[in-house]
Amino acid sequence: MVGAGGALGHRLYVLEIASPTPRVTIGRSKGFWKRSHQHLREMNRYQYGLVDAHLTKRLPDRTIERAEARAHAWMARHYQPITGEEFAHADYGFAVTCANAAASLHLTHPIRRQPTA
């Protein structure tokens, strides 16, 4: 479980949603708790339920959109998109793997060369 302070910063999130058409959502947010409450209000409106949620590591601001697009592209190869970020009858574990992999590809750390002797 992520504490309230531990969900700050740009991250990808994955939500598993119970509905007549079970779905998985992959989205991005700088403020996950606020965004998750928006999703929950929408789900309650249609009597859907949140089954599980996952957050990736924090990403640099400039890379979050590309990471989300990459995760969506991977998901769309295997599952039917319902909306831009929702996929019908998708496997939650696979969605978590896509989000984590996309986030990892966009965590930019400069390569430091070892000094030569």
Side-chain angles (χ1 to χ4, degrees), residues 43-94:
M43 283 184 250
N44 287 338
R45 183 173 160 200
Y46 296 104
Q47 298 181 341
Y48 297 173
L50 179 64
V51 177
D52 209 345
H54 172 78
L55 287 173
T56 66
K57 292 180 180 180
R58 190 173 178 171
L59 291 157
D61 296 357
R62 66 187 182 283
T63 64
I64 189 73
E65 290 178 16
R66 286 182 298 178
E68 181 188 35
R70 185 176 300 256
H72 290 166
W74 288 335
M75 287 295 291
R77 289 181 183 176
H78 301 280
Y79 299 102
Q80 178 65 42
I82 298 172
T83 66
E85 61 181 28
E86 291 185 328
F87 300 87
H89 303 285
D91 180 75
Y92 174 74
F94 182 75

Side-chain angles (χ1 to χ4, degrees), residues 11-28:
R11 297 170 186 269
L12 294 181
Y13 61 84
V14 180
L15 304 176
E16 182 179 15
I17 301 167
S19 69
T21 302
R23 60 194 70 204
V24 169
T25 297
I26 298 178
R28 62 183 157 91

Side-chain angles (χ1 to χ4, degrees), residues 111-117:
I111 297 173
R112 300 183 196 274
R113 293 182 181 225
Q114 297 292 332
T116 56

Side-chain angles (χ1 to χ4, degrees), residues 15 41 67 97:
L15 304 176
R41 279 194 302 277
T97 299

